[in-house]
Amino acid sequence: MMLHTCKGHGDTVLSVAVSKDDQYVASASVDQSTMVWSASTGQLVHKLSGHSDVVRTCAFSPKGNFLVSGSDDTTIKIWNLKSGHEIACCKGHEGWIVGVRFSPDENSVVCIDKNSIRWWTVDGHRLQTYYLKGQFPKFLRVNNSFSTFVTVDDSGYLYLLQAVQVV
């Protein structure tokens, strides 16, 4: 049974995310925007604009306070989910953003670009960077405790990483 069809993007949608409480769905698009939809009504809640290139990925925070979007403009943006306002823009990546995830406490974000994994605070301060041996990782997987991070790249490397403990 289909619940809703949501139309609003001006181009292809590349990624979707569902909030943990099932209240919202987010979509990331080639049209340089991320849209947040009500899962119960299918209505648009927020159109999040600010990236200057394709938005490739997005993720909700576990408690539903934030959304993070990752773009080909080499930035991630952290948004207040209730207001729809940008609260941080994390710069310094060297390529498009492939994946993004929040920590369980919503205090930090991990993201992966074409040749590195970076950890950020939700207010935009870089915590750590790990440079991959190869390039073009396929995905980013994170365990529930936000302590183990996994990806693979085009060179055949499998990376199992742990973040430095943040105090």
Side-chain angles (χ1 to χ4, degrees), residues 123-155:
D123 57 358
H125 293 93
R126 188 180 316 164
L127 296 171
Q128 180 180 345
T129 301
Y130 176 83
Y131 289 97
L132 305 174
K133 294 177 189 260
Q135 286 193 334
F136 307 114
K138 302 298 179 199
F139 55 80
L140 175 64
R141 299 293 185 260
V142 180
N143 70 342
N144 289 338
S145 64
F146 205 68
S147 61
T148 303
F149 307 86
V150 181
T151 193
V152 296
D153 67 22
D154 273 355
S155 302

Side-chain angles (χ1 to χ4, degrees), residues 31 62 71 79 83 90 105 120 139 155:
D31 70 6
S71 172
W79 308 87
S83 69
C90 304
D105 63 7
W120 302 87
F139 55 80
S155 302

Side-chain angles (χ1 to χ4, degrees), residues 20-93:
K20 190 173 181 178
D21 62 7
D22 294 327
Q23 288 187 27
Y24 301 104
V25 175
S27 52
S29 174
V30 172
D31 70 6
Q32 303 177 12
S33 73
T34 305
M35 294 191 179
V36 179
W37 310 87
S38 166
S40 62
T41 67
Q43 296 297 308
L44 181 64
V45 176
H46 298 296
K47 180 177 182 177
L48 308 175
S49 300
H51 285 292
S52 62
D53 206 337
V54 170
V55 182
R56 193 167 292 277
T57 186
C58 61
F60 287 98
S61 64
K63 298 174 188 172
N65 294 314
F66 308 107
L67 180 87
V68 60
S69 57
S71 172
D72 286 8
D73 68 6
T74 71
T75 68
I76 66 166
K77 291 186 181 286
I78 301 170
W79 308 87
N80 179 302
L81 191 55
K82 299 209 184 324
S83 69
H85 293 125
E86 179 184 320
I87 59 171
C89 180
C90 304
K91 299 177 182 179
H93 292 276

